[in-house]
Amino acid sequence: MSHLTIVPLSSALGAQISGVDISQPLNVEQRDAIEQALLKHQVLFFRDQPIEPQQQARFAAYFGDLHIHPIYPNVPEQPEVLILDTAVTDVRDNAIWHTDVTFLPTPAMGAVLSAKLLPEFGGDTLWASGIAAYEALSSPMKTLLEGLTATHDFTRSFPLERYGNTPQALAQWEEARRKNPPLSHPVIRTHPVSGRRSLFVNEGFTSKINELSETESEVILKFLFAHTTRPEFTIRWRWQKDDIAFWDNRVTQHHAVDDYRPARRVMQRATVLGDVPFFR
């Protein structure tokens, strides 16, 4: 038996998991139980899980291939694990509502985030359920959105003026921009496993709805950004050192609250690649 204990944290999303040591290899039963919990609760939290980068990458890799981020620094000996250190990197793009790497043709299936160094106060992270937000829409609004696509642009969260200030940084940014041109995903996404529908636009990377005029797109996106992040669709996690969060990036957004400066915050993330978003 897996012996996992799963405690739901809200009706929209979120559960706390105990009874598993993520630093150790998982057996098939543990792996499957965690995946089923993720499908149901969308974001999972594990307390008191001190792990090394290689252990974090191993855990994440149970759920798919791992991504190496084009901009953020990573752990040299484990490049699939990126470092979010406020003393080193400008992480303002994490302080808005966003879904990770939707500028990719196959955006992340999920991500595993580990808390390494925390401020004395502040630094919480919020998650929002795109499923709950979609299901709360009126039938006419759902009908309007069905079949629409939206452009996702790497430069919205990684603008040149913030990430091209040295020759080395400029070369890295230009290479990332070349490899990640703007692309389109459906506004409503069907989960490839559960079949549930979710809103799939986010302030971090979505620039326009392709089939609408500029004015119409701006109005609809503004509404969807605000609607998805209504309090009843969200959960807020107060970090403790060595906490781990594992979220389904296909149907959630998150926001790292930037309320702790000038204190330092260090997190490490392993990102699991997903598949091409679709709607049916």
Side-chain angles (χ1 to χ4, degrees):
M1 298 293 294
S2 63
H3 302 297
L4 266 63
T5 299
I6 303 172
V7 180
L9 301 177
S10 80
S11 60
L13 77 169
Q16 186 170 337
I17 309 294
S18 58
V20 62
D21 183 354
I22 289 177
S23 71
Q24 299 301 311
L26 301 182
N27 60 42
V28 173
E29 199 168 13
Q30 290 173 319
R31 187 262 178 213
D32 290 349
I34 291 171
E35 182 178 48
Q36 289 304 308
L38 185 70
L39 291 173
K40 181 176 181 179
H41 299 288
Q42 302 168 57
V43 55
L44 307 177
F45 302 101
F46 305 79
R47 293 283 196 197
D48 191 25
Q49 296 279 347
I51 56 173
E52 297 299 321
Q54 62 270 27
Q55 296 167 330
Q56 184 174 357
R58 180 181 63 201
F59 173 79
Y62 281 114
F63 304 94
D65 295 332
L66 303 188
H67 176 244
I68 297 177
H69 201 277
I71 293 294
Y72 286 132
N74 52 33
V75 176
E77 65 273 18
Q78 196 71 55
E80 301 91 349
V81 177
L82 63 84
I83 303 169
L84 299 168
D85 184 347
T86 57
V88 176
T89 306
D90 183 342
V91 295
R92 276 178 287 168
D93 56 287
N94 281 271
I96 60 171
W97 283 103
H98 65 286
T99 301
D100 288 334
V101 297
T102 61
F103 57 80
L104 295 176
T106 55
M109 165 269 174
V112 178
L113 187 65
S114 175
K116 296 302 184 184
L117 179 66
L118 297 170
E120 183 180 354
F121 54 83
D124 297 354
T125 302
L126 297 92
W127 280 264
S129 169
I131 291 176
Y134 169 77
E135 293 178 348
L137 292 173
S138 67
S139 293
M141 180 57 75
K142 290 177 183 177
T143 299
L144 171 66
L145 298 176
E146 287 184 6
L148 296 181
T149 63
T151 296
H152 294 246
D153 191 340
F154 161 85
T155 65
R156 279 180 64 86
S157 282
F158 298 98
L160 176 61
E161 59 268 23
R162 282 171 51 207
Y163 289 93
N165 294 324
T166 67
Q168 181 179 357
L170 177 60
Q172 182 182 23
W173 184 91
E174 288 177 337
E175 177 70 4
R177 185 71 177 86
R178 183 184 66 80
K179 290 182 176 180
N180 298 283
L183 49 70
S184 296
H185 295 306
V187 170
I188 303 171
R189 177 177 186 173
T190 302
H191 196 289
V193 181
S194 71
R196 300 180 75 181
R197 292 178 175 179
S198 170
L199 291 175
F200 196 64
V201 293
N202 70 93
E203 189 176 359
F205 295 111
T206 308
S207 59
K208 65 179 180 178
I209 298 178
N210 301 318
E211 295 80 8
L212 303 182
S213 70
E214 183 177 347
T215 301
E216 291 169 338
S217 171
E218 183 178 354
V219 170
I220 294 296
L221 283 178
K222 184 176 181 180
F223 163 72
L224 293 177
F225 294 157
H227 173 76
T228 305
T229 57
R230 282 166 47 181
E232 60 265 40
F233 307 145
T234 68
I235 190 166
R236 183 169 183 146
W237 184 252
R238 178 165 293 179
W239 293 98
Q240 297 176 12
K241 187 177 184 299
D242 295 322
D243 280 359
I244 287 177
F246 178 26
W247 64 91
D248 191 332
N249 195 69
R250 298 166 291 197
V251 292
T252 61
Q253 299 184 31
H254 53 283
H255 184 301
V257 183
D258 193 358
D259 61 351
Y260 50 88
R261 307 303 179 113
R264 185 182 180 191
R265 183 176 184 267
V266 181
M267 315 290 279
Q268 293 184 352
R269 188 182 89 201
T271 305
V272 185
L273 284 170
D275 49 14
V276 176
F278 65 90
F279 170 78
R280 65 168 178 238

